Amino acid sequence: MRWQKQVRGLVWGTVVIGTFAAGLVGCGGNTTPYTYNRLVVFGDSLSDVGSYRTAGLVTTFTDAGKYTINGPSSTIWVENIATQLGVAAPCAAQTGLESSGPLAGFAEAIANHSGCYDYAQGGARVTATVGPGNKALPAPDSYMGNLTVPVVTQMDNHLAVSSYTNHDLVTVLAGGNDVFMQLAGIASATVTPAAAITAMQQAGDELAAAVLSKVVAKGASRVVVANIPDISLTPYGISLGAATQTVIVQLVQAFNTRLSAGLGNSNRIVLVDLFTESQKQAATPAAYGLSNVTAVACPPPPVNPVKSIGCNAATLVAGQTAATTYEYADDVHPTPYGYKLVSDKVWTDMSLRGWQP
C-alpha cells in the first residue's frame, strides 16, 4: 500500500523532435539555414501543454493545466523549442478529463482539436492504455480520470489527420509512466523486480520501433527522441529510500538501453541523453544555476490534491516564486526553470547536428 500511495497521481512525459529537408541530411549536419513550420509532439506529462486544462480545473486552480508552476509566462520545454524554431506554440491535440469522486467537478467531454499537434498527455505510457490517473485504476487513483492515450496511439492519431512535411520537427519523450506503474506492481507484489525490468526493456523496444515505423518511415526527417531522466534523483525517488532508488535506476536504464539500441544510427534522429544530464544537475546544481534539486516548490497533497497541474504562483510553498531556481515543481515534474534546462540540452544537441534554423 505504501508504494501505491507514492505512485498515485504521477504522470511523466514523452517527446520526439524531428524533421529536415530532404537532401540536407548527413552525418556531419546541415550547412544551410533551415526553416521550420511546425512542431509535432508525442509523449506524457513532460510534454503536455494542456490536455487536462478543463473549465473545472481552471476555476479551482487559476492558471492551471501544465505540470509545472503555472502562470501566464510559464513554459515547458517543447514550448521553449517552438520559440527557438520560430513556429507556433504547441496546443493540445485532445482535451478532456474523465474525473470522478471528489474531483468530479474537473470532468469535461473529450474533444479533438484540428490544427493542434501536441499529442502528449499526462499519464501516457508507451503502449499500455492505463497509466497513472486513469479512470480504470482503483479509487482513489482513478479520481482524476486522465485520458492517458498511449504514445503509439498518439502517433497513429497524427497520421490519421496529417502527413509529415520537410519542415516539421517531431519530439518524443516517454517511458516514465511505465516506470511508475512497474514500481506500483512491485510494491503490491503483483510484479517481481525481474519481470518489471523485462517489461521496461520491452517498452524501450516498442518506443524505438514506433519512432522508426510511425514517424521516420512516414516521412519525418528530423526527430528528437529524449530518454528517461534519472527518476531516482527526483524528490519522489529520494523519498523511497536507497534500496528503491537502485531499483528505479535499473528500470530506467533497462528502458533507455533498449531505446538507444532500437533507434540505431539514423541520421534523421537525435537521441538526447536526459538521464546523464539529470545526474550532472543533481551532482553539480550550482553549475546549472539551480538552488535546490531535492525539495518541491509546489505544496503536496492534501494541500493541493492534483500536485503541479494545479500549481501556480499563489499556491507555492513559503518563500517560493514562479521564477524559482528549484529544479522540481512537484515530486517528479520540473519548474519552468527545470524545463528550460531540458530545452537547453535539446537545443545544444540539435545544434551539434546542424538542425537549428
Side-chain angles (χ1 to χ4, degrees), residues 5-93:
K5 291 179 180 178
Q6 291 288 352
V7 173
R8 180 177 305 153
L10 291 176
V11 283
W12 203 251
T14 302
V15 184
V16 173
I17 302 176
T19 301
F20 56 83
L24 294 180
V25 183
C27 295
N30 185 4
T31 58
T32 304
Y34 191 78
T35 300
Y36 292 93
N37 293 336
R38 183 175 65 171
L39 179 65
V40 180
V41 178
F42 303 115
D44 51 30
S45 58
L46 291 181
S47 306
D48 186 340
V49 293
S51 297
Y52 307 143
R53 186 186 288 123
T54 66
L57 185 72
V58 173
T59 298
T60 305
F61 304 102
T62 305
D63 292 326
K66 291 184 288 190
Y67 294 86
T68 190
I69 302 172
N70 289 272
S73 61
S74 296
T75 56
I76 66 172
W77 76 277
V78 292
E79 293 173 307
N80 298 338
I81 293 295
T83 297
Q84 291 172 294
L85 295 177
V87 301
C91 52

Side-chain angles (χ1 to χ4, degrees), residues 10-248:
L10 291 176
V11 283
W12 203 251
T14 302
V15 184
V16 173
I17 302 176
T19 301
F20 56 83
L24 294 180
V25 183
C27 295
N30 185 4
T31 58
T32 304
Y34 191 78
T35 300
Y36 292 93
N37 293 336
R38 183 175 65 171
L39 179 65
V40 180
V41 178
F42 303 115
D44 51 30
S45 58
L46 291 181
S47 306
D48 186 340
V49 293
S51 297
Y52 307 143
R53 186 186 288 123
T54 66
L57 185 72
V58 173
T59 298
T60 305
F61 304 102
T62 305
D63 292 326
K66 291 184 288 190
Y67 294 86
T68 190
I69 302 172
N70 289 272
S73 61
S74 296
T75 56
I76 66 172
W77 76 277
V78 292
E79 293 173 307
N80 298 338
I81 293 295
T83 297
Q84 291 172 294
L85 295 177
V87 301
C91 52
Q94 184 181 79
T95 58
L97 272 175
E98 298 177 307
S99 307
S100 63
L103 303 183
F106 299 160
E108 190 168 287
I110 298 172
N112 297 316
H113 303 281
S114 177
C116 290
Y117 302 106
D118 188 326
Y119 299 87
Q121 292 186 345
R125 299 172 65 182
V126 175
T127 60
T129 57
V130 178
N134 188 273
K135 67 177 183 179
L137 294 172
D141 297 332
S142 60
Y143 288 159
M144 190 66 179
N146 293 340
L147 306 181
T148 69
V149 173
V151 175
V152 294
T153 305
Q154 295 173 19
M155 294 173 178
D156 290 335
N157 290 345
H158 177 71
L159 291 172
V161 299
S162 180
S163 300
Y164 292 105
T165 77
N166 285 332
H167 296 279
D168 288 338
L169 181 65
V170 182
T171 69
V172 179
L173 171 56
N177 288 312
D178 290 272
V179 173
F180 297 137
M181 295 301 285
Q182 293 303 323
L183 287 173
I186 294 172
S188 63
T190 58
V191 176
T192 66
I197 289 173
T198 298
M200 290 307 302
Q201 291 173 329
Q202 180 178 341
D205 290 340
E206 291 169 339
L207 184 58
V211 169
L212 294 177
S213 65
K214 299 175 183 290
V215 182
V216 174
K218 297 299 183 180
S221 51
R222 296 195 177 193
V223 182
V224 171
V225 180
N227 66 15
I228 306 175
D230 189 347
I231 299 172
S232 76
L233 299 176
T234 64
Y236 163 74
I238 294 170
S239 72
L240 299 178
T244 303
Q245 285 179 287
T246 298
V247 175
I248 293 173

